[in-house]
């Protein structure tokens, strides 16, 4: 029972962060299914075992180990079917400060599949028109490290939740028009989307100061490299050094 209770916060975190696959002890699936609502949200995708790599008789570290499928193996790849999708629309939302948001998100009474929590640091003036309405659909059509595009078909005023870490250096546009980036579920990104079909694009642009620092470091590296090359091929072949000046003792006093 204690193991089940300690697993609940972990399961909540996995659900909110779109953690869909977990590699663990095969017996862990039963424990997790007792800790999660609805029960049975974890299913075994594949059983496996860890063995030494071909050609090795003795295992010295993890680099000598590989994984192979085994229907009776002690390890398993588990799928968490109740994890939030990577992207989704919400017709119901609430605005809370960070301490309250953390309590809400960790509450067993809160359903993150139906409601999204917006931060007070990125508030919006819109209120839910119909919290119980079918919000519509959202589909990722482009996914790159600094550029992500989502096609939405909202049936009501909605919040598009992207389960990817919030950073103020991300910008967002709806139908190629700048929109306000929202901080959702404490650490995720989102944007308000009106009814209808829309194209939403998230783009990451770090501050220019980081570009200047990178350029300065690159130029400094070229200067230092050039200096080393010059000293190696065209410098003084016998530069003066302390070793070239031997100490000859104190200067003798003049004879009177």
């Amino acid at each position: 029972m204690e193991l089940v209770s300690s697993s609940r916060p972990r399961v909540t975190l996995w659900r909110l962060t779109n953690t869909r696959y977990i590699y663990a002890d095969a017996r862990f699936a039963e424990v997790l299914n007792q800790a999660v609502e609805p029960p049975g949200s974890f299913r075994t995708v594949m059983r496996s075992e860890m063995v030494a790599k071909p050609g090795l008789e003795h295992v010295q570290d993890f680099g000598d180990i590989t994984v192979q499928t085994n229907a009776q193996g002690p390890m398993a790849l588990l799928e968490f079917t109740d994890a939030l999708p990577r992207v989704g629309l919400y017709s119901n939302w609430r605005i809370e400060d960070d301490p309250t948001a953390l309590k809400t998100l960790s509450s067993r009474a809160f359903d993150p599949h139906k409601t999204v929590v917006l931060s007070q640091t990125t508030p919006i003036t819109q209120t839910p028109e119909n919290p119980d309405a079918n919000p519509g659909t959202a589909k990722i059509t482009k996914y790159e490290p600094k550029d992500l595009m989502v096609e939405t078909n909202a049936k009501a005023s909605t919040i598009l939740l992207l389960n990817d870490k919030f950073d103020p250096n991300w910008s967002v546009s709806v139908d190629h028009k700048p929109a306000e980036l929202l901080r959702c579920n404490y650490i995720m990104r989102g944007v308000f989307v009106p009814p209808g079909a829309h194209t939403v694009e998230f783009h990451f642009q770090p501050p220019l100061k980081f570009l200047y620092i990178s350029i300065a470091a690159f130029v400094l590296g070229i200067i230092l490299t050039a200096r080393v090359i010059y000293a190696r091929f065209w410098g003084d072949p016998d530069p003066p050094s302390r070793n070239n000046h031997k100490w000859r003792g104190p200067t003798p006093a003049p004879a009177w």
Side-chain angles (χ1 to χ4, degrees), residues 160-180:
L160 172 65
L161 170 65
L162 172 65
N163 280 306
D164 206 357
K165 187 176 180 299
F166 177 89
D167 189 294
N169 293 317
W170 281 95
S171 62
V172 62
S173 64
V174 179
D175 296 331
H176 308 292
K177 297 179 181 179
E180 183 178 4

Side-chain angles (χ1 to χ4, degrees), residues 93-97 116-120 122-126:
W93 62 87
R94 62 176 74 173
I95 301 175
E96 298 178 346
D97 58 45
V116 61
V117 179
L118 308 184
S119 172
Q120 282 188 337
T122 58
I124 60 174
T125 58
Q126 294 86 351

